[in-house]
Amino acid sequence: MSSNLAGNQATERKRRIEKYFQPTPKDSLKQIAVALLAGGGIAVLLGLILLSSQSFLAVLLFIGGGYALVQGAIRKARYKAEYEKAEPKPSDREMDRTLALDLQQIEDRAMHRLGITADHLETGAASWDPVAALLADKMVERPKKRPLVLYGPKLSDFGIGEDGVWRFKLYEVLVICPTVHHLAIYHCSLDFLSGGLSMEDTEEYQYNHVVAVSTRTTPAPADLSLERLNTRDPEDDEVRFAKVLRRRLEVSVSNGQSIGVTVGITDEQDSSKQAVLQSSGIDEVIGSVRRVLRDHSRP
Protein backbone atom coordinates (compact mmCIF):
# COMPACT_ATOMS: atom_id res chain seq x y z
CA MET A 1 0.00 0.00 0.00
CA SER A 2 2.75 2.47 0.97
CA SER A 3 4.68 1.82 -2.26
CA ASN A 4 1.54 2.49 -4.33
CA LEU A 5 0.96 5.72 -2.42
CA ALA A 6 4.55 6.83 -3.00
CA GLY A 7 4.24 6.01 -6.69
CA ASN A 8 1.03 8.01 -6.98
CA GLN A 9 2.61 10.96 -5.21
CA ALA A 10 5.62 10.86 -7.55
CA THR A 11 3.34 10.73 -10.59
CA GLU A 12 1.25 13.64 -9.34
CA ARG A 13 4.39 15.65 -8.54
CA LYS A 14 5.79 15.05 -12.02
CA ARG A 15 2.51 16.00 -13.68
CA ARG A 16 2.28 19.19 -11.63
CA ILE A 17 5.88 20.35 -11.98
CA GLU A 18 6.08 19.57 -15.70
CA LYS A 19 3.50 22.32 -16.23
CA TYR A 20 5.98 24.88 -14.92
CA PHE A 21 8.38 24.10 -17.78
CA GLN A 22 5.75 23.83 -20.51
CA PRO A 23 5.16 27.06 -22.49
CA THR A 24 1.56 28.23 -22.30
CA PRO A 25 0.07 28.56 -25.80
CA LYS A 26 -0.60 32.11 -26.92
CA ASP A 27 -4.17 33.43 -26.76
CA SER A 28 -3.88 34.34 -30.45
CA LEU A 29 -3.98 30.61 -31.31
CA LYS A 30 -7.33 30.28 -29.54
CA GLN A 31 -8.63 33.44 -31.19
CA ILE A 32 -7.72 32.11 -34.65
CA ALA A 33 -9.56 28.85 -33.90
CA VAL A 34 -12.67 30.73 -32.74
CA ALA A 35 -12.55 32.97 -35.82
CA LEU A 36 -12.35 29.94 -38.11
CA LEU A 37 -15.30 28.30 -36.38
CA ALA A 38 -17.35 31.49 -36.53
CA GLY A 39 -16.44 32.20 -40.15
CA GLY A 40 -17.11 28.61 -41.16
CA GLY A 41 -20.48 28.63 -39.45
CA ILE A 42 -21.49 31.86 -41.18
CA ALA A 43 -20.37 30.50 -44.58
CA VAL A 44 -22.41 27.32 -44.15
CA LEU A 45 -25.45 29.36 -43.06
CA LEU A 46 -25.15 31.63 -46.11
CA GLY A 47 -24.82 28.54 -48.28
CA LEU A 48 -28.13 27.25 -46.94
CA ILE A 49 -29.79 30.61 -47.61
CA LEU A 50 -28.46 30.78 -51.19
CA LEU A 51 -28.98 27.10 -51.99
CA SER A 52 -32.24 27.62 -53.90
CA SER A 53 -31.21 30.73 -55.87
CA GLN A 54 -27.43 30.48 -56.41
CA SER A 55 -26.51 26.84 -56.13
CA PHE A 56 -22.92 27.23 -57.40
CA LEU A 57 -22.09 29.95 -54.87
CA ALA A 58 -23.87 27.94 -52.20
CA VAL A 59 -21.68 24.91 -52.95
CA LEU A 60 -18.54 27.08 -52.70
CA LEU A 61 -19.74 28.46 -49.37
CA PHE A 62 -20.46 24.93 -48.12
CA ILE A 63 -16.96 23.74 -49.10
CA GLY A 64 -15.17 26.79 -47.71
CA GLY A 65 -17.28 26.88 -44.58
CA GLY A 66 -16.84 23.16 -43.95
CA TYR A 67 -13.05 23.46 -44.33
CA ALA A 68 -12.96 26.41 -41.92
CA LEU A 69 -15.06 24.50 -39.39
CA VAL A 70 -12.75 21.47 -39.54
CA GLN A 71 -9.62 23.60 -39.22
CA GLY A 72 -11.15 25.60 -36.41
CA ALA A 73 -12.08 22.44 -34.51
CA ILE A 74 -8.58 20.98 -34.97
CA ARG A 75 -6.88 24.17 -33.81
CA LYS A 76 -9.19 24.55 -30.83
CA ALA A 77 -8.53 20.95 -29.74
CA ARG A 78 -4.78 21.46 -30.18
CA TYR A 79 -4.89 24.67 -28.14
CA LYS A 80 -6.89 22.95 -25.38
CA ALA A 81 -4.43 20.04 -25.22
CA GLU A 82 -1.40 22.36 -25.08
CA TYR A 83 -3.07 24.58 -22.49
CA GLU A 84 -3.90 21.64 -20.23
CA LYS A 85 -0.26 20.52 -20.41
CA ALA A 86 0.92 23.96 -19.27
CA GLU A 87 -1.76 25.21 -16.88
CA PRO A 88 -2.31 25.74 -14.06
CA LYS A 89 1.38 26.21 -13.29
CA PRO A 90 2.74 25.88 -9.76
CA SER A 91 3.86 29.22 -8.37
CA ASP A 92 7.51 30.20 -8.01
CA ARG A 93 7.16 29.93 -4.24
CA GLU A 94 5.66 26.44 -4.52
CA MET A 95 8.58 25.36 -6.71
CA ASP A 96 11.05 26.68 -4.14
CA ARG A 97 9.25 24.94 -1.28
CA THR A 98 9.42 21.65 -3.17
CA LEU A 99 13.15 22.11 -3.79
CA ALA A 100 13.70 22.98 -0.12
CA LEU A 101 12.04 19.74 0.98
CA ASP A 102 14.20 17.81 -1.51
CA LEU A 103 17.33 19.42 -0.07
CA GLN A 104 16.28 18.50 3.47
CA GLN A 105 15.88 14.86 2.45
CA ILE A 106 19.19 14.87 0.59
CA GLU A 107 20.94 16.33 3.63
CA ASP A 108 19.58 13.51 5.82
CA ARG A 109 20.49 10.91 3.20
CA ALA A 110 24.03 12.28 2.93
CA MET A 111 24.56 12.03 6.68
CA HIS A 112 23.31 8.45 6.62
CA ARG A 113 25.42 7.45 3.62
CA LEU A 114 28.53 9.01 5.16
CA GLY A 115 27.85 7.51 8.60
CA ILE A 116 28.01 10.93 10.24
CA THR A 117 25.91 12.37 13.06
CA ALA A 118 25.52 16.00 14.10
CA ASP A 119 28.02 15.46 16.92
CA HIS A 120 30.73 14.69 14.35
CA LEU A 121 30.31 18.01 12.52
CA GLU A 122 32.43 21.10 12.93
CA THR A 123 30.24 23.86 11.51
CA GLY A 124 29.26 27.16 13.02
CA ALA A 125 25.98 29.06 13.21
CA ALA A 126 26.92 31.56 10.47
CA SER A 127 27.01 28.96 7.70
CA TRP A 128 24.64 29.17 4.76
CA ASP A 129 21.31 27.35 4.90
CA PRO A 130 19.78 27.04 1.41
CA VAL A 131 16.66 25.34 2.76
CA ALA A 132 15.80 28.28 5.02
CA ALA A 133 16.64 30.72 2.22
CA LEU A 134 14.23 28.99 -0.17
CA LEU A 135 11.45 28.83 2.40
CA ALA A 136 11.89 32.37 3.72
CA ASP A 137 12.91 34.02 0.44
CA LYS A 138 15.82 35.71 2.21
CA MET A 139 19.23 34.92 3.67
CA VAL A 140 18.84 33.02 6.92
CA GLU A 141 21.64 31.98 9.26
CA ARG A 142 22.09 28.28 9.69
CA PRO A 143 21.89 26.63 13.12
CA LYS A 144 24.87 24.78 14.53
CA LYS A 145 25.77 21.20 13.82
CA ARG A 146 24.42 20.75 10.30
CA PRO A 147 26.38 20.08 7.12
CA LEU A 148 26.98 22.66 4.41
CA VAL A 149 24.64 22.18 1.44
CA LEU A 150 25.12 23.63 -2.02
CA TYR A 151 23.01 23.01 -5.10
CA GLY A 152 23.11 24.19 -8.68
CA PRO A 153 21.54 23.46 -12.03
CA LYS A 154 22.61 20.81 -14.43
CA LEU A 155 22.25 22.29 -17.91
CA SER A 156 18.83 20.85 -18.69
CA ASP A 157 15.41 22.17 -19.70
CA PHE A 158 14.46 25.21 -17.68
CA GLY A 159 11.63 27.64 -17.04
CA ILE A 160 11.82 31.30 -16.09
CA GLY A 161 9.46 32.25 -13.28
CA GLU A 162 7.40 35.36 -12.74
CA ASP A 163 10.23 36.49 -10.43
CA GLY A 164 12.77 36.17 -13.26
CA VAL A 165 14.54 33.20 -11.61
CA TRP A 166 15.61 30.26 -13.78
CA ARG A 167 14.46 26.89 -12.45
CA PHE A 168 15.70 23.63 -13.93
CA LYS A 169 14.47 20.07 -14.36
CA LEU A 170 17.80 18.68 -13.11
CA TYR A 171 20.00 19.83 -10.24
CA GLU A 172 23.21 18.63 -8.65
CA VAL A 173 23.64 18.81 -4.89
CA LEU A 174 26.82 18.90 -2.80
CA VAL A 175 26.69 18.15 0.93
CA ILE A 176 29.94 19.03 2.73
CA CYS A 177 30.49 17.56 6.20
CA PRO A 178 33.57 18.90 8.00
CA THR A 179 34.47 16.64 10.94
CA VAL A 180 37.31 16.61 13.43
CA HIS A 181 39.36 14.16 11.38
CA HIS A 182 38.36 14.58 7.75
CA LEU A 183 36.20 16.32 5.15
CA ALA A 184 33.31 14.08 4.04
CA ILE A 185 31.39 14.95 0.87
CA TYR A 186 28.20 13.62 -0.69
CA HIS A 187 27.29 14.52 -4.29
CA CYS A 188 24.20 13.57 -6.31
CA SER A 189 21.94 14.53 -9.20
CA LEU A 190 18.32 15.47 -8.44
CA ASP A 191 15.55 14.88 -10.96
CA PHE A 192 13.33 17.77 -9.92
CA LEU A 193 10.30 16.42 -11.79
CA SER A 194 10.13 13.24 -9.70
CA GLY A 195 12.39 13.98 -6.73
CA GLY A 196 14.52 10.96 -7.64
CA LEU A 197 18.27 10.86 -7.02
CA SER A 198 21.00 9.45 -9.26
CA MET A 199 24.80 9.50 -9.67
CA GLU A 200 25.31 9.42 -5.90
CA ASP A 201 28.94 9.65 -4.79
CA THR A 202 30.57 9.85 -1.38
CA GLU A 203 34.14 10.97 -0.74
CA GLU A 204 36.21 11.32 2.41
CA TYR A 205 39.39 13.40 2.36
CA GLN A 206 42.06 13.99 4.97
CA TYR A 207 42.40 17.72 5.47
CA ASN A 208 46.01 17.80 4.32
CA HIS A 209 44.88 16.32 0.99
CA VAL A 210 42.45 19.17 0.23
CA VAL A 211 44.37 21.65 -1.89
CA ALA A 212 41.70 24.19 -2.89
CA VAL A 213 38.13 25.34 -2.41
CA SER A 214 37.53 27.67 -5.31
CA THR A 215 35.35 28.77 -8.20
CA ARG A 216 36.19 28.11 -11.84
CA THR A 217 34.57 29.40 -15.01
CA THR A 218 34.70 27.01 -17.94
CA PRO A 219 32.84 26.54 -21.25
CA ALA A 220 29.88 24.19 -21.27
CA PRO A 221 30.04 21.17 -23.62
CA ALA A 222 30.37 22.31 -27.23
CA ASP A 223 27.11 20.68 -28.30
CA LEU A 224 25.03 22.56 -25.72
CA SER A 225 23.45 25.96 -26.26
CA LEU A 226 20.76 27.38 -24.02
CA GLU A 227 19.06 28.58 -27.19
CA ARG A 228 17.95 24.98 -27.78
CA LEU A 229 16.52 24.40 -24.34
CA ASN A 230 12.85 24.73 -23.52
CA THR A 231 11.67 27.91 -21.79
CA ARG A 232 8.32 29.29 -20.77
CA ASP A 233 8.70 31.86 -23.55
CA PRO A 234 10.77 30.40 -26.41
CA GLU A 235 10.66 33.70 -28.28
CA ASP A 236 12.39 35.67 -25.51
CA ASP A 237 15.73 36.86 -26.91
CA GLU A 238 17.10 37.36 -23.40
CA VAL A 239 17.44 33.62 -22.87
CA ARG A 240 19.24 32.82 -26.11
CA PHE A 241 22.81 32.09 -25.14
CA ALA A 242 25.14 31.52 -28.08
CA LYS A 243 28.00 30.03 -26.02
CA VAL A 244 27.49 28.99 -22.42
CA LEU A 245 29.98 29.53 -19.61
CA ARG A 246 29.53 27.77 -16.27
CA ARG A 247 30.86 29.05 -12.96
CA ARG A 248 31.39 26.15 -10.57
CA LEU A 249 32.37 25.84 -6.95
CA GLU A 250 34.86 23.00 -6.66
CA VAL A 251 36.68 21.19 -3.87
CA SER A 252 40.01 19.93 -5.25
CA VAL A 253 42.35 17.37 -3.70
CA SER A 254 45.99 16.49 -4.19
CA ASN A 255 45.39 13.62 -6.64
CA GLY A 256 43.81 16.05 -9.13
CA GLN A 257 40.24 15.03 -8.40
CA SER A 258 37.59 17.72 -7.91
CA ILE A 259 33.91 17.74 -7.05
CA GLY A 260 31.47 20.63 -7.18
CA VAL A 261 28.28 22.25 -8.46
CA THR A 262 27.37 24.98 -10.95
CA VAL A 263 26.62 28.32 -9.28
CA GLY A 264 26.48 30.65 -12.30
CA ILE A 265 25.64 30.64 -16.02
CA THR A 266 26.62 33.37 -18.49
CA ASP A 267 26.98 33.89 -22.23
CA GLU A 268 30.62 34.01 -23.29
CA GLN A 269 29.83 36.35 -26.19
CA ASP A 270 27.74 38.74 -24.10
CA SER A 271 28.61 38.94 -20.40
CA SER A 272 25.44 40.97 -19.71
CA LYS A 273 23.41 37.83 -20.36
CA GLN A 274 23.30 35.85 -17.12
CA ALA A 275 20.92 33.27 -15.77
CA VAL A 276 19.24 34.46 -12.58
CA LEU A 277 19.58 31.51 -10.18
CA GLN A 278 18.39 30.96 -6.63
CA SER A 279 20.87 32.26 -4.06
CA SER A 280 23.66 29.73 -3.73
CA GLY A 281 25.37 31.06 -0.61
CA ILE A 282 28.65 30.33 -2.36
CA ASP A 283 30.68 32.96 -0.49
CA GLU A 284 29.44 31.77 2.90
CA VAL A 285 30.18 28.12 2.09
CA ILE A 286 33.66 28.88 0.76
CA GLY A 287 34.38 30.93 3.86
CA SER A 288 33.16 28.18 6.19
CA VAL A 289 35.18 25.43 4.49
CA ARG A 290 38.31 27.57 4.35
CA ARG A 291 38.02 28.33 8.06
CA VAL A 292 37.81 24.62 8.82
CA LEU A 293 40.81 23.92 6.57
CA ARG A 294 42.84 26.67 8.26
CA ASP A 295 41.96 25.37 11.71
CA HIS A 296 43.05 21.84 10.83
CA SER A 297 46.22 22.92 9.07
CA ARG A 298 47.59 24.48 12.25
CA PRO A 299 50.42 22.52 13.86
Side-chain angles (χ1 to χ4, degrees), residues 278-291:
Q278 289 112 328
S279 299
S280 65
I282 181 174
D283 295 329
E284 291 84 355
V285 171
I286 288 178
S288 295
V289 176
R290 285 177 174 168
R291 281 194 296 273

Side-chain angles (χ1 to χ4, degrees), residues 157-220:
D157 292 0
F158 64 95
I160 300 177
E162 297 294 334
D163 56 3
V165 174
W166 294 35
R167 294 174 176 87
F168 291 74
K169 289 185 177 181
L170 296 175
Y171 288 92
E172 53 185 342
V173 183
L174 188 68
V175 182
I176 304 174
C177 301
T179 73
V180 174
H181 303 291
H182 66 284
L183 190 69
I185 296 177
Y186 170 89
H187 180 268
C188 71
S189 294
L190 167 66
D191 180 346
F192 190 54
L193 294 181
S194 66
L197 305 181
S198 62
M199 301 178 67
E200 296 180 89
D201 295 309
T202 58
E203 304 286 348
E204 296 183 4
Y205 303 119
Q206 298 299 316
Y207 283 109
N208 58 352
H209 291 161
V210 180
V211 298
V213 180
S214 58
T215 59
R216 294 197 320 135
T217 300
T218 58

Side-chain angles (χ1 to χ4, degrees), residues 20-24 89 92 158-162 230-234:
Y20 189 87
F21 300 100
Q22 184 70 28
T24 301
K89 296 186 188 298
D92 298 334
F158 64 95
I160 300 177
E162 297 294 334
N230 187 28
T231 73
R232 293 177 75 172
D233 186 358

Side-chain angles (χ1 to χ4, degrees), residues 210-257:
V210 180
V211 298
V213 180
S214 58
T215 59
R216 294 197 320 135
T217 300
T218 58
D223 61 347
L224 188 146
S225 169
L226 290 187
E227 184 179 7
R228 301 182 199 167
L229 299 182
N230 187 28
T231 73
R232 293 177 75 172
D233 186 358
E235 297 179 3
D236 187 350
D237 289 336
E238 293 182 0
V239 302
R240 299 190 178 212
F241 285 22
K243 193 170 183 181
V244 182
L245 292 178
R246 295 181 297 182
R247 183 181 179 220
R248 290 179 62 83
L249 178 141
E250 294 185 347
V251 178
S252 304
V253 293
S254 55
N255 64 2
Q257 183 181 7

Side-chain angles (χ1 to χ4, degrees), residues 35-49 61-62 65 68-69:
L36 285 169
L37 289 170
I42 292 172
V44 171
L45 180 61
L46 287 175
L48 288 172
I49 295 173
L61 287 171
F62 277 132
L69 286 172

